Amino acid sequence: MAYIKDPYEMAVEQLHQVAKLLDLDKGLVRYLEKPKRSVEVSIPVVMDNGEVQVFTGYRVHHNDALGPCKGGIRYHPQVTLNEVKALAMWMTWKTATVEIPYGGAKGGVLCDPSKMSTREIEKLTRRYIVNILDIIGPFKDVPAPDVNTNPQVMAWIMDTYSMYHGYAIPEVVTGKPLTVGGLPGRLEATGRGCIVIMKEMLKKLNMDSSKITIAIQGFGNVGYFAAKTAHEFGYKVVAVSDVMGGIYNPDGIDPDDAKAYSDKTGSVVNYPKAKTITNEELLALDVDVLIPAAIEGTIHAKNADNIKAKVIIEGANGPVTPEADKILLEKGTVIVPDILANAGGVTASYLEWQQNLHREYWDIEEVRKRLAHKLTRAFEQVYDMSKKEDVSMRMGAYMIAVKRVVDALIARGIWP
Ligand code: NAD
């Protein structure tokens, strides 16, 4: 992944910054720096050509003081243990920020699914799950989709785990297809959550109006559903982009129409109802809100100064590097951090787990209502903390999250 520096080092550095603000005991900081467990597994797979290939997989539990560990599984050729450790720590803070009773986890397998058949991906998934079977479970660690994993992969995980236990256990994994206990609205939840949070932020800044213009980098799951929800809420999405480039129309872009074009051609580039621009041009547009929803580190020290948006909503994980964060804060840009802005996904996962544990099926209206309630409440708490402590929204969120985890650790005590 395109991190500017080692992601785990970055995560530890952030923890140290918050620890200073909270005046945390040094021993507790040492405790939180390290994951509870990091597991590395070898995954042998007989490929379609009969050859055996052995893949490396990781599963990291950062902390479970508040509840079962929770976090996605990514399939990517450049996954590293340090990346997974960092992502697991960020999951601890994310679940604590939105006050859901989970800890933080993450998983990754070094592979390139674009070069594998469906059957090979299924075999890899099932063997990976068997190799980490002892450390996952509805009350231990509940995986979910992440980069290059999808509802089908989650269904294989549910099936593998259930086969080993002899009965159906849908609550072992979230992000499943609807037919096996998936949640209506799970797919849209992260992008939708970004807009729910954006609306609250704009209200605080007295900017909430139909004149708001938005540029969105990344037109995948998060970017597309953010664009679609923004359009539905009456805001004007003037630019979107994917890895190939972007499109801009000051009069607004219809997200579904652009998506239909991109589904047909493989990219939004050359969409006939807008001007084609580069990703760098999109980031520098004179808009009210910028939503980076592609990958980490796209806003960095070299382009932060070009950004004109007054508000940044971090749809992606870690899209603004620490250097860029500093530059933007000095310019007065308001940044809603990823652990709050994109927490709609994990919040919906929590709702899916609850729905499964209760053996119920909820409808989408119920899900949207619960999602908006959780996110709005978390937003208010982070906003109030940032005002009270005179810190950025990012530091406000971290202060709330780390304190919640530390309070739980202190209440539980360090055993034995
Ligand atoms: P995705 O693969 O569906 O979409 C990614 C989009 O970004 C695609 O349009 C791709 O073309 C574009 N892109 C990739 N590299 C780019 C680059 N260098 N410049 C510009 N565009 C680029 O992924 P997603 O699920 O939408 O996730 C996007 C981000 O949001 C990731 O950081 C992910 O970790 C984070 N996130 C996702 C969820 C979720 O529920 N999907 C939840 C929380 C956080």
Side-chain angles (χ1 to χ4, degrees):
M1 301 277 112
Y3 285 103
I4 303 305
K5 63 200 279 191
D6 181 276
Y8 180 57
E9 247 177 66
M10 194 168 125
V12 171
E13 211 173 285
Q14 284 169 340
L15 172 64
H16 287 176
Q17 279 178 31
V18 194
K20 221 188 255 170
L21 288 171
L22 291 172
D23 197 18
L24 284 188
D25 173 81
K26 285 197 173 54
L28 285 174
V29 179
R30 276 197 289 273
Y31 187 145
L32 291 170
E33 276 173 6
K34 305 267 186 222
K36 173 179 172 171
R37 66 167 66 87
S38 301
V39 173
E40 179 179 328
V41 293
S42 297
I43 309 159
V45 177
V46 182
M47 306 301 278
D48 292 348
N49 63 5
E51 201 182 289
V52 177
Q53 269 197 35
V54 182
F55 298 88
T56 299
Y58 303 110
R59 186 73 187 167
V60 173
H61 294 170
H62 172 254
N63 186 282
D64 62 357
L66 291 166
C69 292
K70 180 85 193 127
I73 293 172
R74 59 174 58 177
Y75 288 172
H76 196 279
Q78 269 115 42
V79 169
T80 66
L81 178 58
N82 269 12
E83 177 188 325
V84 180
K85 278 162 74 174
L87 289 162
M89 192 191 296
W90 288 326
M91 281 306 296
T92 303
W93 311 142
K94 193 181 293 187
T95 54
T97 301
V98 283
E99 241 181 335
I100 53 185
Y102 279 147
K106 204 79 184 186
V109 178
L110 282 102
C111 65
D112 185 351
S114 69
K115 301 202 171 97
M116 296 167 70
S117 69
T118 305
R119 180 77 189 119
E120 288 167 345
I121 298 172
E122 179 179 350
K123 286 199 219 173
L124 172 110
T125 301
R126 290 186 184 276
R127 188 65 187 250
Y128 169 59
I129 291 306
V130 168
N131 284 357
I132 59 168
L133 201 74
D134 291 343
I135 62 162
I136 63 167
F139 300 105
K140 288 185 190 171
D141 171 10
V142 186
D146 193 67
V147 177
N148 292 329
T149 53
N150 55 25
Q152 176 59 73
V153 173
M154 300 305 116
W156 291 326
I157 294 177
M158 178 214 160
D159 186 68
T160 307
Y161 190 85
S162 300
M163 283 293 156
Y164 267 82
H165 289 81
Y167 60 101
I169 309 176
E171 57 274 21
V172 69
V173 65
T174 58
K176 299 178 294 292
L178 287 180
T179 48
V180 285
L183 188 81
R186 170 65 185 86
L187 209 58
E188 66 174 25
T190 309
R192 190 174 184 89
C194 287
I195 302 304
V196 169
I197 296 274
M198 179 193 85
K199 189 170 170 59
E200 296 306 312
M201 190 72 250
L202 293 177
K203 274 196 234 160
K204 296 286 183 201
L205 298 169
N206 292 320
M207 283 171 67
D208 189 26
S209 84
S210 55
K211 293 199 181 66
I212 291 295
T213 53
I214 306 172
I216 302 178
Q217 184 189 40
F219 203 49
N221 175 273
V222 181
Y224 164 66
F225 280 110
K228 190 174 163 65
T229 311
H231 193 67
E232 182 192 316
F233 282 20
Y235 301 112
K236 201 190 276 182
V237 178
V238 295
V240 298
S241 73
D242 55 42
V243 70
M244 314 291 282
I247 51 171
Y248 172 61
N249 182 343
D251 297 327
I253 290 168
D254 176 345
D256 281 325
D257 197 49
K259 170 99 170 30
Y261 177 83
S262 153
D263 285 347
K264 208 164 62 190
T265 64
S267 170
V268 292
V269 169
N270 294 328
Y271 174 62
K273 297 176 196 161
K275 184 180 148 202
T276 290
I277 56 171
T278 64
N279 265 291
E280 285 304 318
E281 284 169 336
L282 178 139
L283 294 176
L285 283 174
D286 191 3
V287 287
D288 297 300
V289 181
L290 174 63
I291 307 184
I295 51 162
E296 57 285 340
T298 58
I299 301 174
H300 44 76
K302 292 211 169 74
N303 64 8
D305 230 3
N306 305 336
I307 286 172
K308 298 181 195 70
K310 295 159 206 80
V311 178
I312 294 179
I313 306 287
E314 292 188 335
N317 283 317
V320 177
T321 66
E323 296 80 9
D325 197 53
K326 226 167 126 205
I327 298 169
L328 289 163
L329 286 179
E330 273 162 21
K331 280 190 1 171
T333 313
V334 174
I335 305 177
V336 182
D338 46 9
I339 58 169
L340 173 64
N342 70 31
V346 75
T347 305
S349 274
Y350 166 63
L351 298 177
E352 182 175 330
W353 180 69
Q354 272 194 325
Q355 175 196 255
N356 297 156
L357 285 170
H358 290 283
R359 294 290 183 267
E360 285 176 359
Y361 291 114
W362 296 346
D363 58 36
I364 195 156
E365 282 72 32
E366 176 76 19
V367 170
R368 285 179 175 169
K369 199 174 82 195
R370 289 184 192 226
L371 185 74
H373 174 74
K374 274 262 171 225
L375 293 180
T376 309
R377 198 179 126 97
F379 171 85
E380 285 296 333
Q381 291 172 345
V382 170
Y383 182 80
D384 288 351
M385 178 63 97
S386 76
K387 288 288 154 211
K388 185 167 137 251
E389 297 294 330
D390 194 21
V391 293
S392 65
M393 290 284 284
R394 189 183 313 281
M395 276 303 124
Y398 268 85
M399 286 176 80
I400 288 180
V402 174
K403 182 151 186 348
R404 280 184 181 145
V405 176
V406 164
D407 286 349
L409 284 180
I410 293 173
R412 288 178 58 165
I414 298 176
W415 193 86

